[in-house]
Amino acid sequence: MANIKSQKKRIRTNEAAHLRNKEVKSAIKTSIRSVHKAINDGDKDSAETAFAVAARRLDKAAGRGVIHRNQAANRKSGLATAINAM
């Protein structure tokens, strides 16, 4: 455990950010999973609806710095390609 006051605060803020980032990443994974499920079921309409939700979550995460903007773009591109290939 740190002895310095500022480092104690830093530990607390890092933990709070870690939990927030973990929650956002989990939501992203869930929304991407729902897109893949709709694609596997062959339901293009629900896949496009789920893609819109996933794309928004990816963009928000990239804007907040949870994931890199290129990673968000690559994931959106892969999902769009999979939907268009249906």
Side-chain angles (χ1 to χ4, degrees):
M1 184 65 192
N3 292 327
I4 300 165
K5 187 176 180 181
S6 62
Q7 188 59 36
K8 288 179 182 178
K9 180 180 178 183
R10 198 70 213 140
I11 290 169
R12 284 197 314 270
T13 57
N14 284 345
E15 181 62 22
H18 171 70
L19 293 175
R20 217 175 11 251
N21 291 345
K22 196 165 101 171
E23 182 180 348
V24 170
K25 285 182 181 181
S26 176
I28 289 170
K29 288 177 192 172
T30 302
S31 58
I32 289 174
R33 210 173 290 123
S34 67
V35 174
H36 284 301
K37 183 180 182 315
I39 290 170
N40 290 337
D41 292 342
D43 190 2
K44 190 165 186 167
D45 290 334
S46 67
E48 288 173 346
T49 305
F51 173 72
V53 172
R56 181 170 164 79
R57 284 188 175 161
L58 285 165
D59 287 336
K60 282 181 123 178
R64 291 176 179 155
V66 177
I67 60 173
H68 195 275
R69 67 184 190 281
N70 290 352
Q71 184 187 32
N74 288 338
R75 287 187 180 194
K76 288 189 328 188
S77 174
L79 291 172
T81 303
I83 290 172
N84 290 334
M86 290 179 73

